Amino acid sequence: MESVHKSYAVALFELANEAKQLEIYQEEAKAISNILKDNKEFIELLNNQFVNKDDKKELLDKVFKNKINNMMLNFLKLLVDKQRFNLTIEIFKTFNSLANEYRGIEEGILYVASKLDEDKIKAIEAKIAQKINKKVELSTVIDPSLIGGFKVIISDLVIDNSIKNKLESLKNDLVEEKVGG
């Protein structure tokens, strides 16, 4: 049985694709997801069963009207009506994966020791895209244990260019040399 969030994601994908605005919907879904992740209280308010649905939709209008596509705004209102707003981030994540698959974009995770600016992320995506001959979209995860550098995982491909990995390799080389020598 298909999960509820996937049903909504597929419906949004079909809507965006039919409107030939897949990329625009993806950008808006990412922007909305970021807003929701940064404002947990907003999600809680829109999920609160004691707040009137019309008030919730009015709030959505105040926050998003004229900032996002009307169909996307109506989609958010539908989630409020169906009491599924708590699934919004998961719906958008699945929608993005469907859209990327359709557009031939490989998704992956970029692990970094500290926050990178967007230009550096785009440069890493471009290098990897060149290597695998496909467009690449990376989501970033901060992992201070890497010390520096980065690690990328895309499907079966792992590129570990972190200082942690280099130190571990050096350690292994020294142990082998000591044991073998």
Side-chain angles (χ1 to χ4, degrees):
M1 186 173 150
E2 195 171 83
S3 65
V4 173
H5 78 272
K6 184 157 186 188
S7 299
Y8 282 96
V10 168
L12 182 61
F13 170 78
E14 289 172 355
L15 180 73
N17 199 29
E18 189 176 297
K20 299 196 181 330
Q21 295 186 332
L22 202 51
E23 205 168 329
I24 292 168
Y25 277 64
Q26 277 187 282
E27 289 170 16
E28 289 182 352
K30 286 178 197 173
I32 294 166
S33 290
N34 288 336
I35 290 168
L36 296 178
K37 286 175 188 172
D38 292 343
N39 298 286
K40 299 287 185 207
E41 304 82 26
F42 188 63
I43 294 176
E44 289 172 15
L45 179 67
L46 291 170
N47 285 329
N48 189 322
Q49 63 186 5
F50 299 111
V51 177
N52 182 310
K53 286 181 185 179
D54 290 333
D55 292 339
K56 292 176 185 180
K57 290 191 269 189
E58 191 177 316
L59 177 62
L60 286 171
D61 278 332
K62 284 181 182 173
V63 173
F64 294 114
K65 194 165 186 117
N66 299 322
K67 293 182 179 100
I68 63 172
N69 180 310
N70 273 341
M71 292 299 279
M72 182 64 89
L73 181 58
N74 288 337
F75 182 78
L76 294 175
K77 290 177 181 179
L78 173 73
L79 295 177
V80 165
D81 281 338
K82 300 292 185 182
Q83 298 177 328
R84 301 288 190 196
F85 202 86
N86 60 317
L87 301 175
T88 304
I89 292 172
E90 197 61 38
I91 290 168
F92 285 162
K93 186 177 175 186
T94 303
F95 163 74
N96 192 55
S97 292
L98 290 168
N100 279 344
E101 184 179 331
Y102 179 81
R103 294 174 56 216
I105 298 172
E106 282 287 333
E107 293 180 322
I109 302 172
L110 170 63
Y111 295 92
V112 292
S114 59
K115 189 167 174 43
L116 287 182
D117 62 41
E118 199 60 36
D119 290 341
K120 287 184 180 167
I121 295 170
K122 292 294 177 205
I124 292 169
E125 286 176 339
K127 269 275 201 237
I128 294 168
Q130 189 177 24
K131 182 175 183 161
I132 67 171
N133 233 4
K134 274 190 169 184
K135 190 167 189 221
V136 173
E137 187 175 282
L138 300 173
S139 49
T140 308
V141 174
I142 295 175
D143 180 359
S145 75
L146 296 178
I147 304 168
F150 63 88
K151 177 179 173 179
V152 175
I153 300 176
I154 301 173
S155 300
D156 296 339
L157 175 67
V158 177
I159 300 169
D160 197 338
N161 196 19
S162 67
I163 292 176
K164 177 183 178 181
N165 183 51
K166 290 178 182 179
L167 289 172
E168 287 175 2
S169 289
L170 182 61
K171 177 183 157 192
N172 290 339
D173 289 348
L174 290 172
V175 167
E176 283 179 24
E177 201 172 289
K178 190 174 183 180
V179 171

